[in-house]
Every structure is written in C-alpha cells, then in structure tokens.
Amino acid sequence: MRKPLGFVLFLSIVGIVPRATRAADGDGSATTNAREAAAAERVEARLRALEEENRRMRERVAELERAAKQNAATAEKVAKLEDDTSYFDQQITRLLPIVSKLGGYLDFGFFRATGNGSGIRSDRGYRYFPEYEGDIPASWVFYGDPLSTMVNARGEPADTGESRALTFDAIDSGGKSSFAVNALNMQLFAAPREDLTLTASIDFAPRSRDVSVPGDRALGDFIDVKLAYAEYLVPIERFELSLYAGKFDSVLGWEYRSREAPDRLTVTPSLLCRYTCGSPLGVKARGKFWDGAMILNVAVTNGSHGSESFPFHGEIDRNDWKTVAGRIASRAPLGAGLEVGLSGSIGAQDLQSAEDALHTHVGVDLHLDWHDFDVTAEVMQGVIDGKNAGATKCGLAPCLRYRGGYVQVGYRLLNWLTPYARVDARDAVHRSGVSFVYLSQVLRATAGVRMELGTHLILKAEYNLNRELSRAPQFPNDVFTSSMLLKY
C-alpha cells in the first residue's frame, strides 16, 4: 500500500523511514548530491581563487604604498635638484658672459741685438750715396731699415738709433740684451644679439722711464687700442655677408690675420707688415660666396692700412678723401686649403691735408696649408706721393716708394713642435724734404722654432740675419729674440 507523501517526509525527518524506502528514492538524490558536491567544490575553488587574488591585491596595495612613499621622497629630491639646477643655471648665466668677453695673453720675452740695436746708419761724408751731397745734410742720409731689428710681435725695434722718421723708441735697449714684457693683451667680445657682436683688443705695454730726466713726465708705459669694432651678420641665405664699423683689421694681404702674438707662427713680423698690418678706422663689408670659394673684402677708412709703428699712419683724418681698399681671394681644396688673393688701396696720404697727395698700394698673397706644411708668400708695392715745397722734393709732405716680398714656411714636425724659416726683402726710398732720406735695400733671413705646450702656453725663439744690398755696407744688426706666451 502506498504511503502518503507527508508521512514519508515525517519519517525521513525523524530518521525512521524504512531502508527500503530510502533505497527506492536514492537514485534521484544521488544525482542531486553529486551536483551539489561539484557545485560546492567549484565554490570552494572560487573562494580560494578570490582569497589568493585578495592576497595579491593586498600585496600590490602595500607595494603601491611603499612606491608612493618612495615617489614622494623622489619628488622631494627632484624638486631639490631642480632648485639646485636653477641656481647653477643662474650662476653659469652670470659667468658665461664673462668667460666669453674676457681673454688675452701675456707676451714675455728675451732678446739680444748686435751692434747698437739699430737697423740704420748715417752716410757721413756721402761715401755711399754721393748724389745727396749739397741736398741733405750727410748725417741725415740713412741706409738700412729702422724696423729690421724688431724684437716682438708688435714690430718694435731693439733701438731706433739716430732715426729721424721713427722718434718713439719704445724698447731703447742700446744693443744690450734684455728681458721685456712685450705686451699684456686683453681681448673683449660681446654678443648683444646673435647677429651683432663687439670685438676689442688692447695691449698694455710696460716700458722704461728715466726719472732723472728733468721735466720728463712720461711714465714709459702706454696703452694701445688695437681693435674696437662692431660686426653685423646680415641675414642672407645665398651667401655670408658681414658689416663692420670701428677700428677693425686690415683688408690688405694675408699677414694681418696673424698680427696677435699667439696667432703668429714667428716671433716678429715681416719687413712688409708695416704696410698691411694696421687697424684703420671706418666701415667694411666682407662677403663669402659659394661656400667660401670666393671671398671679397671692401673698406672705406680714414687712412691707410699701415701699422701704427709706421710714420704714414693716422687714425683721425686731416683730409676729406677717404681711403678705399679691397681684397678678392679664391680658395681651392688643396690640402687643408689654398688661398690666393689680390688686394689694393688708394686714398689721400695720411697726416697731411692735400686731397691730391695719394697713397696707392697693390699686392698679391698666397697661403697653403698642405699636410704638415704651412706656407705663406706675399709681394707688394706702393707709392706715397708726398708734396714738394717749391724746388724741395717732398718738402710739404714726405714721399715713399716701396716694394718687396717674403716667403715663410713652417713644418709641423710634431703636434707641439714647428720649426720655421722666412726670407723677406724690402726696397724703399723715404724722403722728407731736406730733413732726411732713408735708402733701404735690405734682405732678412729668419730661422726659428715654435713650441705649443698645451692649450695655454707657447714658446718661440728665432734668429734674424739682416743684410744690406746694393751700395750700402754691412754693419752689425742681427737679432736673437724669444717669446713666452701665456693665454688666458
């Protein structure tokens, strides 16, 4: 007999349902239990996975907290470093203009000139130049070259001797050996804008003074402002163009580029540097075309491009006609560069007021840097008309005719050692009325060595052998000189 469902449930609850009855209903319950067990296992596995994920998340949170603390410390360090960097940037910004504006060098040397240190002698008795007898007093007829006994890069002679054209005797050694501070140079450079710069070069020259001479107030020391100019770089893409105004470098020849003692291979300039190594006042334009294959310089200045040690140089003009000068050069890719230039100038003669007393100059120059050889050569000639005073030649303004040339070769034997040699010749006649006449037909041979001991110290030593040509007799005027250059 079939039992009611409620009764069976009751017996199941109280645990007295007959075994047979349980067995009868067990087939369905077993399937349910299996599903429940599997579900429970899945739940347990999910719980374990959640617990593991939760553990990893806690560890990650802990790592993030530690990282956050580290980031905070790093951020603090970065902020401090940024402050330090800003401070240092401000200091560097203050210091860099000083570094870029100030430079120069000390030129200290030792020299010995033979004879009395002078490169000229008087033709007393008209023994060698009789054509001037009755025209110019014999003691004022000079042969030789007053600048042939130069002892430093400034071109100052060991002694001017009896010279009437060069009366400023800066060295005045009397032919004796001597140490000398040739110059303490200061160079200034400033760039208010990228296209506008200011350049200056000043020599402080310590020289002797005889305090026992009555009424002599000269200190001996003097200041020479060698350069003082502004340069404007014109914004043109097709070629380079720079405009200059002030007291700038010459545009004649090549040698002016090495006028500063550290730039010069030798200790002393050539015999012809007096004509081309000056710093005229005026305006100048310099252009480079076809990647520097052609260079053009044009200048309009108060006077000539001669050096200030030369008696035909005046910075402030005494006439209205200015000097026009120019140089055109071509560069070729031979070695480190071959440059050949043609230069010339014409203008009213310096130190006089006449417009028709002209100074004309023309020259050709060559420079080659090939392998370890450095070669420079120049030839030039010029005429300074002067002015006659009635029948007196060159009585109102002195006259000069000159020509000459030089060849200079240096060989880089080692990176720091460069021996060099130079031969230069000058043929000139310089007359000032009946006051004097100089007849210079001279040949000079130079041998020396240059040593660069690091980037700041340069040592140079050379011997200059002077020889008179034509009718002039030989006399002792050779020079040994040296230079220690400390750049800063």
Side-chain angles (χ1 to χ4, degrees):
M1 183 178 67
R2 188 175 182 180
K3 299 179 179 62
L5 179 58
F7 180 71
V8 173
L9 292 175
F10 172 76
L11 292 179
S12 300
I13 292 171
V14 299
I16 57 173
V17 176
R19 188 174 298 272
T21 305
R22 292 180 183 175
D25 296 334
D27 295 337
S29 299
T31 302
T32 301
N33 291 337
R35 286 197 298 267
E36 291 176 352
E41 290 177 0
R42 289 195 298 271
V43 170
E44 289 178 0
R46 179 61 178 161
L47 288 173
R48 287 194 297 272
L50 290 173
E51 289 176 355
E52 179 64 22
E53 185 177 354
N54 188 36
R55 182 186 64 79
R56 288 196 301 269
M57 291 181 65
R58 288 197 300 272
E59 292 178 353
R60 180 61 178 160
V61 168
E63 291 178 0
L64 291 174
E65 290 177 350
R66 289 194 298 271
K69 292 179 181 179
Q70 292 177 354
N71 288 339
T74 301
E76 184 177 352
K77 291 180 181 179
V78 169
K80 187 176 183 302
L81 289 173
E82 287 178 348
D83 290 341
D84 292 343
T85 301
S86 176
Y87 171 77
F88 287 124
D89 285 343
Q90 292 175 5
Q91 298 303 312
I92 291 173
T93 301
R94 292 178 181 178
L95 291 175
L96 277 179
I98 297 177
V99 174
S100 63
K101 289 179 181 178
L102 295 180
Y105 56 87
L106 168 66
D107 183 358
F108 172 77
F110 175 83
F111 66 88
R112 172 71 166 90
T114 59
N116 63 4
S118 171
I120 60 170
R121 295 292 187 271
S122 294
D123 184 19
R124 290 179 170 84
Y126 305 103
R127 294 179 58 190
Y128 308 108
F129 300 96
E131 62 268 30
Y132 291 100
E133 185 173 359
D135 190 7
I136 297 176
S139 61
W140 296 343
V141 177
F142 300 101
Y143 55 87
D145 187 328
L147 295 180
S148 63
T149 59
M150 58 187 78
V151 299
N152 54 31
R154 291 180 51 82
E156 295 170 323
D159 201 290
T160 59
E162 304 172 89
S163 177
R164 295 176 63 85
L166 299 178
T167 58
F168 176 55
D169 198 351
I171 301 295
D172 194 17
S173 70
K176 306 302 181 182
S177 62
S178 179
F179 293 103
V181 174
N182 297 311
L184 174 62
N185 177 265
M186 182 175 66
Q187 297 175 2
L188 306 177
F189 178 83
R193 296 187 337 209
E194 292 183 358
D195 58 351
L196 184 62
T197 59
L198 169 67
T199 301
S201 177
I202 303 170
D203 273 358
F204 298 90
R207 298 294 181 262
S208 62
R209 166 200 178 195
D210 189 351
V211 297
S212 65
V213 176
D216 185 5
R217 298 182 179 181
L219 297 177
D221 303 346
F222 63 90
I223 298 174
D224 180 11
V225 180
K226 299 163 74 175
L227 296 173
Y229 65 86
E231 177 184 357
Y232 174 62
L233 183 61
V234 181
I236 299 177
E237 295 183 359
R238 296 182 60 185
F239 58 91
E240 297 181 22
L241 177 61
S242 295
L243 303 179
Y244 302 80
K247 184 178 172 69
F248 44 73
D249 283 316
S250 167
V251 302
L252 302 180
W254 176 273
E255 191 174 359
Y256 74 86
R257 304 186 190 193
S258 58
R259 186 178 63 170
E260 298 290 357
D263 303 328
R264 182 179 294 283
L265 178 62
T266 59
V267 177
T268 60
S270 75
L271 293 175
L272 304 177
C273 187
R274 71 195 77 186
Y275 304 118
T276 61
C277 293
S279 300
L281 266 72
V283 293
K284 179 176 75 170
R286 183 173 188 266
K288 287 186 176 182
F289 307 89
W290 303 297
D291 296 327
M294 189 179 78
I295 304 169
L296 179 63
N297 274 310
V298 179
V300 179
T301 61
N302 276 348
S304 73
H305 293 234
S307 66
E308 293 188 33
S309 61
F310 188 50
F312 289 94
H313 175 88
E315 291 185 352
I316 303 302
D317 236 343
R318 298 181 184 176
N319 45 65
D320 288 326
W321 190 5
K322 307 307 163 193
T323 296
V324 179
R327 178 178 182 267
I328 184 169
S330 177
R331 291 182 59 87
L334 177 61
L338 168 65
E339 183 172 326
V340 178
L342 172 66
S343 56
S345 66
I346 183 171
Q349 176 181 333
D350 283 351
L351 305 179
Q352 56 85 48
S353 58
E355 308 293 336
D356 57 347
L358 299 182
H359 179 179
T360 56
H361 174 97
V362 64
V364 178
D365 60 88
L366 176 149
H367 180 78
L368 172 64
D369 191 349
W370 181 69
H371 295 292
D372 292 320
F373 286 94
D374 184 277
V375 181
T376 305
E378 291 192 57
V379 293
M380 63 186 71
Q381 67 177 21
V383 176
I384 299 178
D385 290 341
K387 272 287 186 182
N388 297 334
T392 303
K393 294 182 179 180
C394 313
L396 292 179
C399 311
L400 175 67
R401 173 198 54 79
Y402 60 89
R403 61 183 178 180
Y406 73 88
V407 177
Q408 176 181 292
V409 180
Y411 178 72
R412 286 182 287 273
L413 187 63
L414 299 171
N415 287 335
W416 57 274
L417 180 63
T418 305
Y420 60 83
R422 178 182 62 202
V423 176
D424 44 353
R426 175 175 177 262
D427 179 1
V429 177
H430 176 191
R431 177 168 179 168
S432 178
V434 296
S435 295
F436 60 78
V437 62
Y438 287 80
L439 301 125
S440 300
Q441 291 180 307
V442 297
L443 176 71
R444 185 176 66 159
T446 301
V449 63
R450 173 189 174 104
M451 296 174 285
E452 298 189 29
L453 306 180
T455 58
H456 297 285
L457 181 62
I458 300 173
L459 302 179
K460 294 188 282 187
E462 72 181 36
Y463 191 85
N464 291 306
L465 180 70
N466 288 302
R467 288 295 176 264
E468 311 308 311
L469 304 177
S470 187
R471 291 178 284 168
Q474 302 301 321
F475 59 91
N477 59 348
D478 297 341
V479 178
F480 167 79
T481 186
S482 61
S483 175
M484 181 197 76
L485 295 160
L486 181 61
K487 299 189 294 183
Y488 65 91

